Amino acid sequence: MQFPAEPFRIKVVERIKKTTREERDRLIREAGFNVFNLPAESIYVDLLTDSGTSAMSDYQWAGIMLGDESYAGSKNYYHFEAAVKRIFGFKNIIPTHQGRSAENLLFSVALKEGDIVPNNIHFDTTRANVMHKHGVPVDLAIDEAMDPEIGHPFKGNMDPAKLERLFQEVGAERIPLVMLTVTNNSAGGQPVSMENVRAVSAIARKYQRPLFIDACRFAENCYFIKEREAGYARKSVFEIACELFSHADGCTMSAKKDGLVNIGGFIAMNDDAWAEKAANLLIVVEGFPTYGGLAGRDLEAIARGLEEVLDEDYLAFRIGQIRYLGEMLHKAGVPFVRPVGGHAVFLNAKAFLPHIPRQQYPGQALVVALYREAGIRAVEIGGLMFGEKDAAGGEKFPELELVRLAVPRRVYTSMHMSYVADSIIDIHKKRDTIRGLRLIHEAPLLRHFTARMEEIS
Ligand SMILES: *Cc1c(COP(=O)(O)O)cnc(C)c1O
């Protein structure tokens, strides 16, 4: 494979501290074995998330200086609106401070109690926002999505037969919209094919329901389409993105991902009635519709980020860097979800730590080891994040027990990726020494953010 050489050079640097194993051992104990409680300064390579962690370009920073902070009608809003329209094509565009507030607006407008929202797989904030509006999120991913070993070029797809069956079973009255997440974050950042977008769109149209794309990683998804789907090799990623959104009626977006900024998002849609309701609610909870909880300069940075994210040299590097990390781990026999997705490598903790039972959170145990041994911060996506207590006091665990290594955009060099791979390979060699964890404190919703644990001796 080709070495993923950076298509940028470095103009400003940010120091990162090196800590000792002793310091990290103390810090992770103080943090209740939860890496969300760690001071970020004590981390060497932070792969907690690719959300809001991007490095902005000189072009974006220059745009920051052009911020027009007028309360209404800022020139940056018009630039932002034009940049979004050019790619996404939707008629009404409403800025928000991040993706989840776009979701909150959408479900506030679209859902009534007991309504069902189908998606390939709901991202955790999307699921939480559907439930917050008393809706029922339903995941309809293809069966392959749940098998960490199966290769599939578009493992993020929704199963159109499952969607059709859902409409037949519950009726379109109870399904106000269909959603599709590109790339499918919760299935490992796996892409959705254009063919699948078309098929899902056709079913939604048949039942006269709008299709909304959760567009956070649209550029990465479209790059995979160009690489893997017949008929797209000669199209630009920009053209592919335009085609993808032409099959939908709206989208929610966290610009903290493929907007290449540190804060921001939007909701866009063709329907005027829903857009008007969303904008009225926005004024109550976020701000006036030409800034939506952001500063003018933030809107300028998003407008410029959306131009840059479609640069194919950038995308080849981005996808290539994550693939490179995967290749190094694969050669050393470290188990992870294959094929590698667009923004992260997902270690398969069940296979990595077979000696730790699910009740002792093997994924979180691996997260703790990554930090303690190497100063790397990852996140568990498994029993701690998605486990549910049952009536008998036991716990129901999700199928997969993963550890996500999400790579921030344009932040780390491919040498950092080599450091990460070497560290994981070392930990894999001494995996028998890693111990399980016991929960000692948890919140009722999204417990992984605040849970505290102790190590089992
Ligand atoms: C990040 C993300 C969101 C939520 O966006 P925030 O900006 O974090 O609120 C929604 N869906 C997907 C697929 C995401 O990755």
Side-chain angles (χ1 to χ4, degrees):
M1 79 165 278
Q2 186 137 33
F3 181 80
E6 289 74 13
F8 49 79
R9 56 183 177 178
I10 294 163
K11 177 146 34 189
V12 175
V13 295
E14 178 184 356
R15 180 172 178 244
I16 42 180
K17 251 198 263 175
K18 294 211 168 186
T19 48
T20 63
R21 190 185 185 282
E22 288 64 41
E23 285 171 305
R24 293 192 297 269
D25 182 58
R26 177 177 58 79
L27 288 163
I28 195 68
R29 287 172 193 281
E30 285 170 9
F33 295 93
N34 185 341
V35 290
F36 285 99
N37 294 333
L38 286 172
E41 277 200 303
S42 72
I43 291 152
Y44 181 56
V45 179
D46 198 349
L47 306 181
L48 181 68
T49 176
D50 64 325
S51 178
T53 52
S54 301
M56 293 206 295
S57 66
D58 52 356
Y59 177 61
Q60 285 175 296
W61 279 110
I64 293 275
M65 284 307 294
L66 301 177
D68 164 5
E69 305 306 342
S70 307
Y71 190 92
S74 150
K75 73 176 179 203
N76 308 120
Y77 170 76
Y78 296 111
H79 186 196
F80 159 83
E81 186 191 35
V84 174
K85 251 191 197 153
R86 176 173 162 265
I87 301 165
F88 297 80
F90 302 119
K91 188 169 162 213
N92 304 289
I93 292 150
I94 299 169
T96 59
H97 84 275
Q98 64 183 88
R100 69 196 68 182
S101 40
E103 293 167 350
N104 185 271
L105 294 175
L106 176 61
F107 301 129
S108 297
V109 168
L111 295 195
K112 30 181 222 316
E113 197 171 332
D115 278 351
I116 291 168
V117 180
N119 202 327
N120 39 358
I121 302 185
H122 287 79
F123 179 67
D124 58 4
T125 62
T126 323
R127 184 183 313 278
N129 270 299
V130 169
M131 291 167 72
H132 185 62
K133 294 294 155 197
H134 309 289
V136 182
V138 176
D139 294 341
L140 304 175
I142 56 171
D143 293 339
E144 288 89 337
M146 286 303 147
D147 187 333
E149 306 299 331
I150 286 187
H152 188 298
F154 292 103
K155 219 172 167 179
N157 283 353
M158 182 186 278
D159 186 336
K162 289 183 188 168
L163 180 63
E164 178 67 47
R165 213 175 308 135
L166 183 73
F167 270 109
Q168 292 289 332
E169 278 169 17
V170 306
E173 317 73 59
R174 287 191 57 204
I175 305 177
L177 77 164
V178 176
M179 284 198 84
L180 195 57
T181 306
V182 304
T183 57
N184 190 348
N185 186 346
S186 308
Q190 301 291 334
V192 174
S193 70
M194 191 72 81
E195 184 192 12
N196 193 247
V197 175
R198 270 194 298 264
V200 168
S201 171
I203 295 169
R205 292 209 169 148
K206 173 172 143 196
Y207 291 100
Q208 298 181 322
R209 288 295 176 263
L211 171 63
F212 273 73
I213 305 285
D214 180 337
C216 300
R217 296 181 181 75
F218 77 97
E220 291 165 10
N221 197 97
C222 291
Y223 186 81
F224 280 118
I225 290 176
K226 181 180 171 104
E227 263 193 341
R228 296 180 183 171
E229 192 162 349
Y232 289 93
R234 283 212 194 82
K235 296 210 162 123
S236 69
V237 176
F238 169 69
E239 288 169 320
I240 295 169
C242 293
E243 179 181 339
L244 191 151
F245 293 109
S246 76
H247 297 300
D249 306 283
C251 73
T252 54
M253 172 77 184
S254 169
K256 297 171 74 172
K257 286 56 173 275
D258 274 352
L260 293 176
V261 293
N262 306 116
I263 195 73
F266 56 87
I267 177 167
M269 66 187 98
N270 289 329
D271 188 274
D272 291 330
W274 275 13
E276 191 185 337
K277 277 194 200 163
N280 287 336
L281 182 57
L282 181 90
I283 293 172
V284 180
V285 297
E286 291 263 296
F288 191 71
T290 62
Y291 72 85
L294 295 167
R297 55 180 173 268
D298 298 326
L299 293 167
E300 188 60 35
I302 298 172
R304 293 176 182 223
L306 288 173
E307 283 172 43
E308 291 184 344
V309 79
L310 292 169
D311 169 7
E312 298 189 16
D313 287 341
Y314 158 73
L315 283 167
F317 164 72
R318 166 76 179 152
I319 304 291
Q321 192 182 48
I322 290 152
R323 203 171 280 162
Y324 174 65
L325 174 58
E327 283 299 316
M328 289 185 283
L329 296 175
H330 182 57
K331 279 193 199 127
V334 175
F336 60 92
V337 177
R338 296 175 53 85
V340 171
H343 67 290
V345 169
F346 291 71
L347 300 176
N348 180 356
K350 258 201 261 182
F352 199 116
L353 299 174
H355 62 286
I356 301 183
R358 290 305 290 278
Q359 291 74 12
Q360 296 180 13
Y361 308 105
Q364 186 63 18
L366 181 52
V367 167
V368 168
L370 287 172
Y371 177 68
R372 187 152 49 192
E373 302 304 326
I376 297 165
R377 178 156 68 172
V379 68
E380 188 254 23
I381 302 194
L384 179 62
M385 189 180 271
F386 294 124
E388 281 169 23
K389 290 268 154 60
D390 60 28
E395 236 181 324
K396 208 170 113 249
F397 292 109
E399 178 65 24
L400 298 178
E401 180 78 11
L402 305 176
V403 168
R404 186 183 71 188
L405 307 161
V407 182
R409 294 169 181 76
R410 306 191 293 203
V411 171
Y412 294 114
T413 64
S414 296
M415 268 305 162
H416 284 114
M417 293 303 108
S418 296
Y419 170 80
V420 170
D422 285 355
S423 305
I424 293 171
I425 292 164
D426 278 349
I427 293 167
H428 189 239
K429 283 184 191 143
K430 53 182 181 194
R431 58 191 177 274
D432 294 346
T433 62
I434 297 176
R435 290 181 286 159
L437 298 162
R438 181 187 304 121
L439 256 177
I440 52 176
H441 169 79
E442 64 179 301
L445 266 184
L446 299 173
R447 67 177 181 180
H448 55 287
F449 287 123
T450 52
R452 295 188 74 85
M453 285 148 283
E454 59 190 16
E455 223 164 6
I456 295 170
S457 47

